[in-house]
Amino acid sequence: MRIATWNVNSLNARLQRVEEWLEYAQPDVLCMQETKMSDEAFPALDYAALGYDTIHVGQGQWNGVAILSRVGVENVYTNFADGQPPDEEARLVTADCGGVTITCVYVPNGRSPDHDHFQYKLAWLDRLYDHLNEVSSPDQDVIITGDFNIAPEDIDVWDPKVLEGATHGTVEERGKLERLLDWGLIDIFRQCHDADGLFSWWDYRGGSFHKREGMRIDLVLGSKSVADATRFALIDRNARKGKLPSDHTPVLIDVDRAA
DNA sequence: ATGGTCGTCCAACGA
């Protein structure tokens, strides 16, 4: 079973790139973030024609997450299941796909460490922890994947100096991520690759992609059973090349399963 | 050689 995540930075702007990628990468599940689209505009029929069931959680021009699956979509949650008032932004969707409880997340960016949005980000990550406990347990097949807007370690950034005074690598953010890992999750790409310089996002500005100046902020976290069954993990840099790319590129894993 | 912000929508602002 092949599971992928991709922040598409506007699905409308990326329709063709996504369809091309589905056809050659053949994921069984694709989690998308930043669709920036209403549910009415989501091209569910186009994906159905390619064999995918879909669930989209959109709010119009900002945020928006989706799961495409050709191994089923069951037990859907379109917001936190922590019993608190729903998050007003479309940043989370959970579904069981092929026996795996998959949560697709678009973690708030944080903007800057002294911004209110940074506190929203930290609180959001605590809610994600509670959500995971509500919808799953670490002894099951669990995946949480998406744009975390956190670089787990300094080797996940082209130059750690850019993290000074900025978001994405603070002690607070990494602490929240560590808490998720301590729940019983493994950073599957990092389990498969120990090299530095392996990134999933590059700024559009200044030719960052060609200078290899990026960050690994798109993560696939899996429970132990998923991690043990993973054959390999890959960042598809090719999807960041060519015409009209997203600033993020897909990350995928292959897991040994019946599907 | 490659590519030089982009996407939301027309003014900035978010990423």
Side-chain angles (χ1 to χ4, degrees), chain A residues 21 59 63 119 129-130 150 183 190 202 205 242:
Chain A
W21 193 81
Q59 65 174 75
N63 308 310
Q119 296 307 316
Y129 184 95
D130 293 339
I150 300 172
W183 181 80
R190 186 49 79 200
W202 300 261
R205 295 165 285 192

Side-chain angles (χ1 to χ4, degrees), chain A residues 152 155-158 189-190 192-202 212 214-219 233-235 237 249 251:
Chain A
I155 60 167
D156 296 309
V157 183
W158 82 96
F189 183 84
R190 186 49 79 200
C192 297
H193 304 277
D194 56 15
D196 61 9
L198 302 173
F199 306 134
S200 64
W201 168 87
W202 300 261
R212 300 182 178 271
M215 297 191 196
R216 190 176 69 92
I217 56 178
D218 300 274
L219 309 178
L234 175 79
I235 295 176
R237 293 182 79 258
T249 210
V251 183

Side-chain angles (χ1 to χ4, degrees), chain A residues 202-215:
Chain A
W202 300 261
D203 200 306
Y204 283 124
R205 295 165 285 192
S208 299
F209 179 66
H210 296 278
K211 291 192 271 190
R212 300 182 178 271
E213 295 180 350
M215 297 191 196

Side-chain angles (χ1 to χ4, degrees), chain A residues 23-208:
Chain A
E23 287 179 359
Y24 89 74
Q26 292 291 317
D28 294 296
V29 178
L30 172 62
C31 294
M32 291 195 287
Q33 304 86 39
E34 281 206 89
T35 61
K36 297 183 176 177
M37 184 177 270
S38 68
D39 292 333
E40 292 74 21
F42 185 77
L45 288 176
D46 292 339
Y47 296 134
L50 295 171
Y52 293 92
D53 295 326
T54 57
I55 177 76
H56 180 247
V57 180
Q59 65 174 75
Q61 65 192 102
W62 304 115
N63 308 310
V65 289
I67 295 176
L68 280 57
S69 170
R70 59 184 188 190
V71 290
V73 172
E74 297 172 27
N75 302 321
V76 172
Y77 297 84
T78 60
N79 210 300
F80 289 123
D82 60 357
Q84 300 300 120
D87 184 17
E88 293 183 5
E89 303 191 346
R91 295 181 175 275
L92 175 143
V93 57
T94 294
D96 291 342
C97 304
V100 184
T101 301
I102 298 178
T103 297
C104 170
V105 296
Y106 175 44
V107 177
N109 173 286
R111 297 183 191 167
S112 70
D114 58 0
H115 198 286
D116 286 347
H117 201 255
F118 187 72
Q119 296 307 316
Y120 170 56
K121 180 180 195 173
L122 298 178
W124 201 96
L125 289 161
D126 280 336
R127 293 194 68 180
L128 177 57
Y129 184 95
D130 293 339
H131 175 79
L132 274 185
N133 267 324
E134 288 298 322
V135 303
S136 58
S137 70
D139 61 343
Q140 299 168 335
D141 294 334
V142 179
I143 287 176
I144 170 161
T145 186
D147 178 359
F148 279 74
N149 274 310
I150 300 172
E153 302 176 90
D154 284 356
I155 60 167
D156 296 309
V157 183
W158 82 96
D159 182 353
K161 284 180 187 162
V162 304
L163 296 177
E164 292 173 8
T167 57
H168 290 59
T170 63
V171 171
E172 293 94 331
E173 290 160 285
R174 286 178 174 170
K176 298 301 184 190
L177 178 59
E178 196 65 34
R179 188 162 174 252
L180 289 169
L181 299 180
D182 287 346
W183 181 80
L185 296 171
I186 291 146
D187 178 349
I188 292 187
F189 183 84
R190 186 49 79 200
Q191 171 184 266
C192 297
H193 304 277
D194 56 15
D196 61 9
L198 302 173
F199 306 134
S200 64
W201 168 87
W202 300 261
D203 200 306
Y204 283 124
R205 295 165 285 192
S208 299

